[in-house]
Amino acid sequence: MLFYLRSGCVVNNIESSVIADFRQTLLWPVQLISESNSQKIQRPWDILKAENCPWQEIQDEFSLAKQSLSEVRYQEFVTFMPFAQRFLYGEGKHGRESGGYGESPIHIFSRSDVNQVRITLNNHEAPIVLKVAHIELYFFYDIDVAFLALEVTGENIQLNHAMEILYRLGRTYPNYWEENGDAGHCAKSIEWLDKQGHVLACSDYQDKTRYLSFVKDNHVPCVSLHWEFLMHPLVQHYSSQEGEIRYREIEYQRMPLMAYLAFEDVSKLTRGDLIRLGLVTQPWDSETLPFTEEFLSNFEHKHCYDRYWDNNKSDPWSTTRIMCTGQNFIVVGSKQHRVYTNERTGIKRNYQSQYFLLFLIAHFQKAALLMLSDRMVQAISRLNIEDETSIKTFRQSIRNVMGVFLRFTHRYWFESVSDQAVAKDIFAMMHQQLNTLDLFKKTRSRIMDMAEYLEGEEIKRQADTVVRLTVVTILGLIGTMTSGLLGMNIFDFSQTTSIEKFAYFVGIFVPVSILTFYTVVKSRRLSLFLDALSNENTGLLYKVAKLKSVWFGKVDN
């Protein structure tokens, strides 16, 4: 039996299994906001191409001057259907030259200064050092969303430590603080290290005053310092830092994560262990469940993809379980299974390439829809129906959102991206768990409501203009018919000089113009009078009252 501490309590736990190969990938979606707070950001990735920037753009293997593609990259490419291939990789030179889809709308940057991460889980555990496999930043053309992707790896890690790392590493800020000052659900300390082991940045979860003050002043959570360090030169919105591109969170404070766990002996895992891994909860006694049996009764049916899993584990090929809860994607298997650990064609390679891209696409779609919803809320919250400038800005903002949504639908929206059985099933699970289809329908419905509102306002404005012009025409018709009946020779100006003729012209032109403009000013009230005048069911007094209201009454909008 093994005893270990958690939050100051002694927990009785069965001896933990050993994870020979541990991999965790964090995916952090953020919404991009320009410094001027404008609705649209043009090519934010260009800012990262400046000198002295830690981020360097990745040259995709498809664009490198090589005679052929690597076999691993080829296997990844053929996983996806043609429309998803164009999204992920763009078109080749012939497609670009013929005016087709063009290059991929994804721009990827990486940084190499962070080599390790040192995690101190609590005061009673020694720090754990993991290797940083890669750090990447993903941008998408025409969508104000970016993704920070971080993968860490380790070897021979105890199961209870792995559960704690999965649970605590991807926290952007604390939920609460313990009585001793420790941040709730967060690690005691997280440090980014360079190749020499020097600390580049450290978390500040225990600085309660900083988080509380930031929320009080800005009404948004504050991001921990070590995550701010990774995102630089992008800076957190509302912070005092200067930066051309700012970001803010658009989802829950715990980042979506993936994990690949190759166990020395996967048969030691109990149902409680598997459920805790799948739901990414804190470790506890393996013989217990993290929640009630009734609550977890359909866990395997809802969250587990058991194409390669047999509870009896009688054969090596039946020791791989894939668990997906939307927010989490966990792959569990045996180190002894060659197909599971093969880095060229096995599940390990699929986890690093195909499965990661499936996870990225699913969460990108959700983040983009949330971003569009947020922009609609911003446009409505800034609308002042009594301010003409505000109304014009609102119309322009909504039209921009409608345009972005239309382009998103045709460029980025897929309900299925692969016909290969495993990839197809996994992506369907992700979509279902994230409820992305329902979010898409709701966002589309809201945008259509906005479109109908703008169209109705435009029709109303045009109808009002027509009414005003009709009133002016009717009243002008009186003078036109009078001049026509009397003829154009009422007055003989043939004997007058040119100056006198010009004076007569001005003397007639000015009052007629004033009368016309005055008629336009009163056109709405005059239209109500004409409407009352044409109504045979109203009496003379009512019509006279409407005539008086042209000068003395109030008109309804």
Side-chain angles (χ1 to χ4, degrees), residues 198-210:
H198 300 146
V199 177
L200 299 174
C202 181
S203 62
D204 64 336
Y205 292 134
Q206 285 73 32
D207 190 357
K208 184 193 299 187
T209 302
R210 174 174 177 260

Side-chain angles (χ1 to χ4, degrees), residues 56-322:
Q56 301 296 322
E57 187 168 14
I58 296 178
Q59 296 298 321
D60 191 81
E61 190 176 345
F62 282 88
S63 60
L64 296 177
K66 296 172 62 176
Q67 292 184 349
S68 63
L69 198 66
S70 67
E71 183 179 349
V72 171
R73 192 68 163 165
Y74 173 81
Q75 293 173 4
E76 174 189 298
F77 177 83
V78 298
T79 300
F80 299 94
M81 289 190 283
F83 52 83
Q85 291 171 352
R86 290 191 290 270
F87 162 54
L88 294 171
Y89 313 103
E91 285 189 320
K93 59 181 180 179
H94 297 295
R96 293 194 297 269
E97 292 172 356
S98 62
Y101 190 94
E103 298 180 353
S104 170
I106 305 176
H107 297 262
I108 310 173
F109 290 76
S110 68
R111 59 187 301 167
S112 57
D113 55 334
V114 181
N115 187 258
Q116 295 175 315
V117 55
R118 183 163 58 204
I119 307 170
T120 304
L121 297 174
N122 53 57
N123 293 326
H124 309 282
E125 296 280 356
I128 299 174
V129 178
L130 300 175
K131 180 177 177 54
V132 175
H134 61 81
I135 306 175
E136 296 168 343
L137 196 57
Y138 288 77
F139 296 94
F140 301 84
Y141 177 75
D142 201 35
I143 300 294
D144 296 339
V145 166
F147 278 82
L148 176 69
L150 166 72
E151 183 180 9
V152 297
T153 64
E155 296 180 352
N156 300 322
I157 297 179
Q158 295 292 326
L159 175 59
N160 59 311
H161 290 157
M163 287 182 175
E164 291 280 13
I165 294 170
L166 292 173
Y167 185 75
R168 298 180 185 273
L169 178 59
R171 303 277 180 172
T172 56
Y173 55 84
N175 281 357
Y176 63 93
W177 287 266
E178 303 283 359
E179 293 182 2
N180 61 0
D182 289 344
H185 305 315
C186 298
K188 182 73 175 180
S189 173
I190 298 176
E191 299 168 298
W192 305 127
L193 310 178
D194 61 13
K195 293 181 180 179
Q196 290 73 36
H198 300 146
V199 177
L200 299 174
C202 181
S203 62
D204 64 336
Y205 292 134
Q206 285 73 32
D207 190 357
K208 184 193 299 187
T209 302
R210 174 174 177 260
Y211 290 91
L212 297 181
S213 299
F214 194 91
V215 171
K216 180 182 182 299
D217 294 338
N218 304 299
H219 296 190
V220 294
C222 181
V223 173
S224 180
L225 291 179
H226 67 295
W227 293 117
E228 281 193 354
F229 171 82
L230 285 189
M231 293 295 289
H232 187 76
L234 280 68
V235 299
Q236 186 182 6
H237 195 40
Y238 301 122
S239 71
S240 58
Q241 301 179 57
E242 294 184 359
E244 295 184 61
I245 299 298
R246 315 182 81 82
Y247 66 89
R248 66 181 176 193
E249 294 188 286
I250 53 178
E251 290 194 54
Y252 179 53
Q253 57 96 5
R254 188 175 70 77
M255 303 176 189
L257 67 85
M258 302 175 62
Y260 170 90
L261 310 173
F263 285 84
E264 290 284 358
D265 187 358
V266 73
S267 64
K268 289 185 178 181
L269 294 177
T270 65
R271 183 169 183 256
D273 292 332
L274 290 169
I275 292 177
R276 287 186 175 89
L277 287 172
L279 298 179
V280 187
T281 65
Q282 293 177 280
W284 202 253
D285 190 337
S286 295
E287 298 303 321
T288 65
L289 298 177
F291 307 107
T292 65
E293 176 62 44
E294 183 178 0
F295 180 79
L296 298 170
S297 60
N298 65 340
F299 173 81
E300 286 78 9
H301 174 75
K302 184 177 180 180
H303 299 296
C304 297
Y305 185 69
D306 287 345
R307 189 184 188 94
Y308 308 114
W309 178 266
D310 182 6
N311 288 324
N312 296 324
K313 304 177 186 64
S314 56
D315 295 314
W317 64 266
S318 61
T319 56
T320 299
R321 166 170 278 186
I322 298 174

